[in-house]
Amino acid sequence: MTDGSLSPLPYDDPDFWGFWYFDEFCEYKEYGSGSAEAFDEARGAAEGAGPRGGAGDDRVVYDAGGGRAVLVEAGPFELTLSLLDPGSAEPLQLGWDDQAHPTPYGLHWREADVLCRAAALADPRAAYPGPHLALLSRFAPVCDEADAATALPLLREAFAGLPGLDAYQRLVYASLADLRASGIRWVRDEDTGHRYPDEWFPDEDEDESGEGDGDGRGTGGGAGEAAVGLPYAHDPDREHFPSGSLGSLRSPEYPDFPFDALAATVEQARLRCAETARQPWAAAEAVRAAAHAFGDGTAARRAELRAAVRDRGCTDAAVLDALAPEAGTLRALVMTELLLGVEPGVLLRAHTGPAPRPLRSYGARLVLPAQQRGGPPLAALNERLRRAGSGGVTHGPARYHLPDGTWQEEIDLRLLDDWRTGIEQARAVVRECGTHAEVTVRRRGEALTLHLP
């Protein structure tokens, strides 16, 4: 087994995440105080041998134990997901993500969850939630409310802990795995029992709520699990929720997908996780009582639990670090679930509550009056929006000639969740520049025009 439990990928470099999340922000750094050289350097290096040099060096291994693991590697403009299996001399391909033909969805969310838990037990530096989850989430879509209630709080905490990212990046990157409104569902093959993602559409006799006479089958023909209707089908903001197209090798139509080897790897990860609750110190009555009490998520109860496991002989750094005061509450709750041997997510959901709504995204266009010069600096507008987590610049400035021979300047924006907050941020920048403009927001199938300031 390759020793890759600690990833050499530059997790502490925000340009790494901007590069692999294809973030348009990187292309606008030339307008601000930041430098585009770092991004250009990474781009140039990727054309040769990956963004950080030698082939095979940029990887992270999610060690499940028993010689089994999942591997994520960074190659030229591509992240790849593969499986390390004792029965195969070479890694088995599970998927990849790029800007050309992405085929990323090789893992169910719950599989990614247990793999991250096992990796955190194998190496305390692979804290969960943390960078390992942020990376693996590219390959594990969240497709229903039950999974979202656990996954989204973990993802948001994982990205919140990455240094150097602005509020916009943390919100948007964490939302990319959320495909609840997209029609992608997991189905089970009736003959083999294998589960795979499938894109579900209502048939002619069935509406999007799942009601009607149709069987609700997806494009792959999986039965039963897909016929549940689309969540948010009648939500007025549905068009503004994250969406994605089905891209997966995990399909009955792709005979080379290693269904059995992956299932064995996930099972090995579960066994590693289950061993935690079987440790003599974890089975002690005082430890179990303290673990149940920490279900409230308070700092005092966490301190009691950490003291209890340490007093009963635990020297495992993965356990003690997760329960330390500086560790996040969700990380401590994940470890407490492992100590108790309960279903993953039980304590997390009790602490975080129902799944949040999908992140909403609205397109807007800021238009400067004809022939006006000295409009709001692009960098100032972009930075203000992104720092507040309310949006960002996606394109511009672009100048257009009008029929009367004058011209106007336009800047395209992306506004998040409460679009009014983004408008107020734009208004403040326009006012500071001593000018005025108008902005048109596209929402719920309509265009709303406002004057700034």
Side-chain angles (χ1 to χ4, degrees), residues 291-303:
H292 282 293
F294 177 57
D296 64 5
T298 63
R301 294 295 190 186
R302 173 164 52 182

Side-chain angles (χ1 to χ4, degrees), residues 108-240:
H108 190 282
W109 156 254
R110 297 180 192 179
E111 295 169 345
D113 178 53
V114 73
L115 287 166
C116 284
R117 290 170 185 247
L121 290 171
D123 188 337
R125 297 168 294 181
Y128 184 57
H132 285 63
L133 173 62
L135 189 64
L136 199 61
S137 68
R138 296 289 293 274
F139 304 97
V142 179
C143 299
D144 60 47
E145 294 297 294
D147 288 341
T150 301
L152 297 185
L154 288 170
L155 284 170
R156 291 181 179 183
E157 182 149 318
F159 282 100
L162 296 176
L165 297 186
D166 56 39
Y168 171 90
Q169 290 171 301
R170 288 169 176 154
L171 280 173
V172 171
Y173 295 0
S175 74
L176 291 181
D178 185 2
L179 301 183
R180 285 175 289 168
S182 68
I184 295 176
R185 297 291 176 269
W186 286 86
V187 297
R188 191 183 303 275
D189 187 274
E190 295 177 349
D191 296 327
T192 64
H194 295 150
R195 299 183 72 190
Y196 59 94
D198 191 30
E199 195 161 14
W200 176 77
F201 301 98
D203 63 24
E204 294 179 357
D205 299 318
E206 185 173 23
D207 64 25
E208 291 180 337
S209 66
E211 300 174 350
D213 299 326
D215 62 8
R217 293 180 177 234
T219 56
E225 293 181 45
V228 295
L230 292 175
Y232 307 101
H234 302 297
D235 194 298
D237 287 313
R238 180 185 167 194
E239 66 181 282
H240 302 291

Side-chain angles (χ1 to χ4, degrees), residues 2-13 16 51-54 56-61 71-74 125 132 135:
T2 302
D3 182 12
S5 54
L6 176 64
S7 169
L9 294 175
Y11 282 157
D12 59 347
D13 182 0
F16 167 80
R52 294 288 162 176
D57 292 336
D58 297 329
R59 60 168 55 188
V60 56
V61 176
L71 171 69
V72 177
E73 290 183 282
R125 297 168 294 181
H132 285 63
L135 189 64

Side-chain angles (χ1 to χ4, degrees), residues 412-425:
D412 288 339
L413 309 175
R414 180 185 185 187
L415 305 179
L416 302 180
D417 272 345
D418 185 357
W419 57 270
R420 298 173 184 83
T421 302
I423 294 297
E424 290 308 309
Q425 297 292 335

